[in-house]
Amino acid sequence: MPSNRYVRLNGIDIHLAEQGEGPLVVLLHGFPETSHSWRHQLEALAAAGYHAVAPDQRGYGASDRPTAIDQYSIFHLVGDVVALIRELGEEQAVVIGHDWGSIVAWNTALLRPAVVRGVVGISVPPIPRGTLPPLTVTEQRFGPDFYQNYFQEPGIADAELNKDVEGALRRIYAGVPAPDPTPGFAGRFLNPETLPAWLPREDLAVFVKQFTKSGFTGGLNYYRNLDHNWQQTAAWQDAPITPPALYISGENDGVRAMYPLDEAARAIVPNLRATVDIPNCGHWTQQENPELVNTALLEFLKGL
């Protein structure tokens, strides 16, 4: 079973779930999730001889939630990962992320390659820095109501999701598009009669309890820094992500259409060791099919 504790990183308290001893593996969750989304990987990695650590990233779960939006920039998020590795007494770690955690993992490997022994992105591939701000691109491609653009106005999506935490999470995790969507983000999905097979009621209850306490603002603030991140990373235009890398995605994950692992994405990851497609799997990859994800992770880790 994982143990839980807090560490002080960059002036805030970060909650960790950790298990095992050995080379350090850091697991970064996405939105809207917490360290609990790595419950299957913590056990498997520990059994294989690794020190697996899953933080609640800043703004999430039991970790601190700075109030200012600019405290959620990509430099703050990468800074937390680097500080965590140092706090745990290591010089390097394998950094694995899912969804927004993938963005943090890829950027940790980009900005601090000497700290990253290997990097794994699950669902979200490396995204090359384009010539236009990201929110301009999403509005042009998907329209002004695209969820990332909808998230920008402080307080709007926050209030929508906080109004019915369990209902919102049920809809988002089930991920079935609504034929007649209602305004907002969760309303784009049907309210499922039964939970997905990968999400037992007791695990949903954990997420509901965590987001009832924390709210969604911290996670939404990651999106509110997208254009700011683009502006601040101009010096890394076309810079390669050099550590050994792995990309894993579910074959039914909608992210594949939004952000494909195309030629441009592959070009910035010259040491991409493998890509793994998880069959009959949607967006919540490591929870939906932990067996295949764990197999891919352990094979990659052994190769390092």
Side-chain angles (χ1 to χ4, degrees):
M1 287 289 291
S3 60
N4 294 271
R5 64 180 170 118
Y6 289 86
V7 293
R8 188 79 174 170
L9 306 177
N10 301 319
I12 64 174
D13 289 328
I14 296 291
H15 167 260
L16 307 178
E18 62 183 328
Q19 191 168 350
E21 297 180 354
L24 179 60
V25 179
V26 176
L27 302 160
L28 304 172
H29 65 80
F31 176 86
E33 296 174 288
T34 65
S35 57
H36 189 64
S37 68
W38 296 108
R39 57 197 178 278
H40 306 295
Q41 286 67 45
L42 288 166
E43 182 176 350
L45 290 167
Y50 295 94
H51 180 194
V53 178
D56 288 339
Q57 295 200 77
R58 63 168 60 207
Y60 284 91
S63 292
D64 281 351
R65 302 181 293 278
T67 55
I69 292 173
D70 65 6
Q71 295 299 296
Y72 297 86
S73 78
I74 195 63
F75 292 109
H76 288 84
L77 305 178
V78 169
D80 289 344
V81 177
V82 175
L84 174 60
I85 293 168
R86 297 286 189 257
E87 177 67 23
L88 296 174
E90 301 291 346
E91 294 295 319
Q92 283 190 316
V94 175
V95 182
I96 300 171
H98 169 255
D99 186 81
W100 244 107
S102 292
I103 297 174
V104 179
W106 293 123
N107 277 277
T108 304
L110 173 68
L111 302 176
R112 293 299 304 273
V115 177
V116 178
R117 198 162 70 89
V119 58
V120 182
I122 302 176
S123 176
V124 178
I127 302 173
R129 184 182 183 277
T131 57
L132 293 173
L135 293 170
T136 299
V137 175
T138 54
E139 182 171 354
Q140 289 177 352
R141 288 185 63 196
F142 307 113
D145 295 330
F146 186 62
Y147 75 96
Q148 294 179 14
N149 298 76
Y150 165 69
F151 286 166
Q152 294 307 305
E153 184 64 33
I156 302 300
D158 322 49
E160 176 219 334
L161 297 173
N162 287 331
K163 183 177 180 181
D164 178 9
V165 173
E166 180 172 355
L169 291 177
R170 285 175 64 96
R171 289 171 181 264
I172 293 167
Y173 292 154
V176 180
D180 297 307
T182 57
F185 179 59
R188 301 168 191 226
F189 307 102
L190 287 175
N191 187 16
E193 293 183 8
T194 58
L195 292 173
W198 59 267
L199 186 64
R201 184 170 297 278
E202 56 269 25
D203 289 309
L204 174 64
V206 171
F207 289 123
V208 170
K209 182 178 179 181
Q210 291 172 323
F211 279 100
T212 298
K213 177 183 178 183
S214 70
F216 292 86
T217 299
L220 291 167
N221 283 341
Y222 286 42
Y223 293 91
R224 291 167 184 155
N225 276 279
L226 283 170
D227 278 0
H228 176 69
N229 294 340
W230 179 83
Q231 294 165 357
Q232 295 297 309
T233 55
W236 287 270
Q237 180 75 37
D238 303 323
I241 297 169
T242 56
L246 170 67
Y247 175 60
I248 301 173
S249 73
E251 66 176 11
N252 299 329
D253 189 345
V255 170
R256 291 166 71 122
M258 290 189 292
Y259 301 110
L261 184 66
D262 55 18
E263 186 175 336
R266 290 177 182 272
I268 62 170
V269 193
N271 203 359
L272 184 63
R273 299 281 179 90
T275 62
V276 177
D277 290 338
I278 307 296
N280 302 313
C281 183
H283 177 65
W284 313 102
T285 327
Q286 77 272 22
Q287 297 186 75
E288 292 188 44
N289 198 324
E291 294 81 7
L292 289 184
V293 170
N294 293 347
T295 297
L297 293 178
L298 292 173
E299 184 174 339
F300 175 71
L301 289 167
K302 289 175 185 175
L304 300 176

